[in-house]
Amino acid sequence: MSGINYFFLLILIILILTSFKQTRNFLKQFSAEFLTGVSTIGLTIIGIMSNSEKIFVNNYTWKEAWIYLLLLFAIMIFASIFIGAKKSLENRSFQSLNSENIKLQKEIKSYKVEYYKLCSNNIYRLFNSFYSSGGERISIYKHQGDHFILLGRYAKNPAFNKYTDYQYSENEGLIGHGWNNGEAFITGAPKWTKSGKEYKQFMRERCTISDKRLRTITMKSRSLFVSTLNDESTAENPDGIIVFESTQPTKVTKNECLDLISTKKDDILTLLKNMKDLMRKTE
């Protein structure tokens, strides 16, 4: 078989390989390396056959054609160098942008945590009388799209006072139930024991929430009151949600919560508005 047939065979193999998506993507990703490999093999063959009198194509021998082949593979090597350099620059640019993005995300998260602390301190200041032990907590959420984002919360027990970026769906849990009905109130929830079977059944009978979500909740509240927050100045949806909860089965009472909300309504709405404005800067 003449030399030119080997090149046609190589081209045929490449065409077959590129007909498969996975192989085509692989060759595209490593095109520089592929060109370098082909060029290296080609130059090796030329080196071996450069003085050969065997026919390469038509009446041209390897000895006569090697200079053209050398030029061809040299071009391929320069092409692989160019492609490799271009990809290297793209990778550097991507890595730089990725590093900047990671840095920005960390800064945004730190701002969110600081805003969370600010809101939490204000919650404690406004509702200090509600806390009689370490088992009570008050949280304020803003409504955004189809979910809720925690703005701040306060509990004397540090385990219940941690920041979370979990976003409740507007139809999930007692928060969702309170959102859709204006308020939600439960007392006498069973204590979570072992796998929490009774607790999970109690909650599922009163709202839509998964067992998985109930297991991951740090504070297994036994009495809870949820109310929407609305300045009633427009016909739009309420501005957010406030949640009073306790690990004691009868600690949270509806009358006390409504009285606290009524007494502090202007302060709560101002806090909610200011926190929403601050959080908007991190979105």
Side-chain angles (χ1 to χ4, degrees):
M1 187 166 65
S2 63
I4 193 66
N5 290 332
Y6 288 106
F7 286 91
F8 285 138
L9 180 61
L10 176 61
I11 293 172
L12 179 61
I13 292 172
I14 293 173
L15 290 174
I16 292 173
L17 289 175
T18 54
S19 65
F20 299 100
K21 183 178 180 180
Q22 188 173 0
T23 310
R24 184 168 63 251
N25 291 337
F26 178 83
L27 291 176
K28 184 178 180 181
Q29 183 179 356
F30 298 100
S31 55
E33 292 83 354
F34 177 74
L35 287 174
T36 300
V38 172
S39 301
T40 302
I41 294 172
L43 290 172
T44 302
I45 294 173
I46 292 172
I48 296 172
M49 303 295 291
S50 60
N51 291 317
S52 175
E53 296 293 341
K54 291 182 179 180
I55 297 297
F56 173 71
V57 60
N58 293 332
N59 294 322
Y60 289 93
T61 64
W62 279 92
K63 188 175 182 178
E64 294 170 327
W66 78 271
I67 188 66
Y68 302 106
L69 296 174
L70 178 63
L71 180 62
L72 171 64
F73 289 120
I75 292 172
M76 290 177 66
I77 286 178
F78 281 117
S80 68
I81 293 172
F82 175 78
I83 293 172
K86 184 180 179 183
K87 285 187 175 181
S88 178
L89 289 173
E90 289 175 351
N91 288 336
R92 288 181 185 178
S93 177
F94 173 78
Q95 290 173 359
S96 177
L97 289 173
N98 190 48
S99 297
E100 287 295 323
N101 183 56
I102 292 173
K103 181 180 178 181
L104 181 60
Q105 291 299 322
K106 287 182 178 179
E107 290 178 354
I108 289 174
K109 186 173 182 179
S110 68
Y111 287 139
K112 286 182 177 180
V113 172
E114 290 304 313
Y115 293 156
Y116 168 81
K117 291 178 181 178
L118 176 64
C119 185
S120 300
N121 289 336
N122 277 277
I123 289 173
Y124 176 67
R125 179 181 60 82
L126 290 172
F127 302 106
N128 186 34
S129 62
F130 176 74
Y131 301 96
S132 59
S133 67
E136 300 85 24
R137 184 172 73 183
I138 298 176
S139 306
I140 293 179
Y141 294 81
K142 75 166 182 173
H143 182 259
Q144 180 170 302
D146 59 355
H147 58 273
F148 298 98
I149 297 176
L150 179 66
L151 293 178
R153 65 168 35 139
Y154 182 80
K156 288 187 176 181
N157 186 337
F160 301 151
N161 205 25
K162 295 179 180 178
Y163 171 78
T164 175
D165 56 3
Y166 181 82
Q167 297 179 351
Y168 275 96
S169 163
E170 63 183 10
N171 296 312
E172 181 184 11
L174 287 166
I175 291 178
H177 183 74
W179 174 258
N180 290 303
N181 295 279
E183 63 180 42
F185 177 59
I186 64 162
T187 57
K191 188 175 182 179
W192 181 286
T193 56
K194 296 182 179 179
S195 64
K197 181 179 179 180
E198 293 181 355
Y199 185 89
K200 288 185 285 189
Q201 182 178 349
F202 180 91
M203 290 298 176
R204 286 199 308 268
E205 289 174 353
R206 289 158 177 79
C207 63
T208 302
I209 192 167
S210 67
D211 287 355
K212 180 180 179 181
R213 178 57 192 156
L214 286 170
R215 285 195 301 271
T216 58
I217 294 175
T218 304
M219 185 174 177
K220 306 293 194 294
S221 301
R222 301 178 65 191
S223 56
L224 184 146
F225 179 74
V226 178
S227 177
T228 55
L229 298 173
N230 193 354
D231 63 7
E232 299 175 351
S233 62
T234 67
E236 296 180 358
N237 286 332
D239 301 291
I241 283 280
I242 186 168
V243 181
F244 298 81
E245 54 190 320
S246 173
T247 55
Q248 299 301 315
T250 59
K251 168 62 176 79
V252 176
T253 64
K254 185 175 180 179
N255 288 338
E256 180 189 12
C257 294
L258 288 175
D259 184 59
L260 286 170
I261 293 172
S262 176
T263 303
K264 305 290 185 179
K265 185 174 182 179
D266 290 341
D267 292 327
I268 299 170
L269 291 173
T270 299
L271 174 62
L272 179 60
K273 180 181 181 301
N274 290 338
M275 293 310 305
K276 289 174 73 173
D277 290 341
L278 286 173
M279 291 296 290
R280 197 173 290 118
K281 297 177 181 179
T282 65
E283 295 170 358

